[in-house]
Amino acid sequence: MALCIQGVAVARGGVPVLSGVSFTVAPGTALILRGPNGAGKTTLLRTIAGLQPPLSGRIDGAEETIAYAGHADGLKAMLSVTENLTFWAQVFGQSDIDAALAAYQLDPLADRLAGTLSAGQKRRLGLARLMVTGRPIWVLDEPTVSLDAQAVAMFAQAVTAHLAAGGMALIATHIDLGLNAETFDITPYRAQPEQRSGASDEAFL
């Protein structure tokens, strides 16, 4: 089943930021979300992931199929790398973490506490969580923050393998990941000025 976004409008703090957003992500494909800072990419992704309701429109194919990775890595500092992945695998009814460890070269860090990892290592572990969820749709907000070039390549390879297995990915990013993916610019869907009146903290849009 594809992820279908139809005429969706979203708001941050009660202030509309996007309206009329429509696109489809088919199995085996990725879509790159573009737009300037503060345009509403994070708000849209959070809405698609089910973390907040849309103002209007429809989101089809998302229920119980999405694994979301936002700005936070979602790690438990006092658990090891292995324990973190095992925890998330169990949350989603899965058990195999070996592929995730290998994909992000985390095997040498397997017994390290997550709280002792560098920012880049934490990000790799946070992204490895996606692979243990068993969910077909990955919704990712700036996933390569804190990653060096080698780790970005690991991430791109993991996404490519996910797509080859019939998965889907929706990714907000400003960098070229080298993926065979279409681009969707949200700029034309920004809410009109009269709709956006009032105070809001655009740093979190």
Side-chain angles (χ1 to χ4, degrees), residues 72-147:
D73 292 317
L75 306 178
K76 295 185 177 294
M78 298 308 296
L79 294 183
S80 69
V81 167
T82 296
E83 289 168 338
N84 266 279
L85 288 178
T86 299
F87 169 80
W88 283 109
Q90 291 174 346
V91 166
F92 289 94
Q94 306 294 314
S95 59
D96 182 20
I97 68 168
D98 292 341
L101 286 170
Y104 288 94
Q105 297 181 14
L106 293 170
D107 291 287
L109 305 171
D111 296 326
R112 285 267 302 272
L113 295 181
T116 68
L117 301 176
S118 70
Q121 290 168 341
K122 288 177 181 177
R123 195 58 172 171
R124 280 157 53 197
L125 177 55
L127 292 172
R129 290 187 303 119
L130 297 167
M131 297 182 63
V132 304
T133 64
R135 294 201 163 183
I137 304 175
W138 292 357
V139 174
L140 313 172
D141 191 4
E142 299 293 350
T144 58
V145 171
S146 300
L147 295 184

Side-chain angles (χ1 to χ4, degrees), residues 29-97:
T29 68
L31 183 67
I32 305 299
L33 206 62
R34 302 279 196 199
N37 291 335
K41 298 185 299 295
T42 293
T43 302
L44 178 61
L45 293 181
R46 285 176 55 84
T47 302
I48 292 171
L51 299 178
Q52 65 180 63
L55 292 177
S56 60
R58 292 181 46 136
I59 300 173
D60 295 324
E63 187 173 358
E64 301 299 322
T65 63
I66 285 180
Y68 173 71
H71 295 156
D73 292 317
L75 306 178
K76 295 185 177 294
M78 298 308 296
L79 294 183
S80 69
V81 167
T82 296
E83 289 168 338
N84 266 279
L85 288 178
T86 299
F87 169 80
W88 283 109
Q90 291 174 346
V91 166
F92 289 94
Q94 306 294 314
S95 59
D96 182 20
I97 68 168

Side-chain angles (χ1 to χ4, degrees), residues 16-37:
V17 291
L18 296 171
S19 62
V21 178
S22 298
F23 58 78
T24 297
V25 184
T29 68
L31 183 67
I32 305 299
L33 206 62
R34 302 279 196 199
N37 291 335

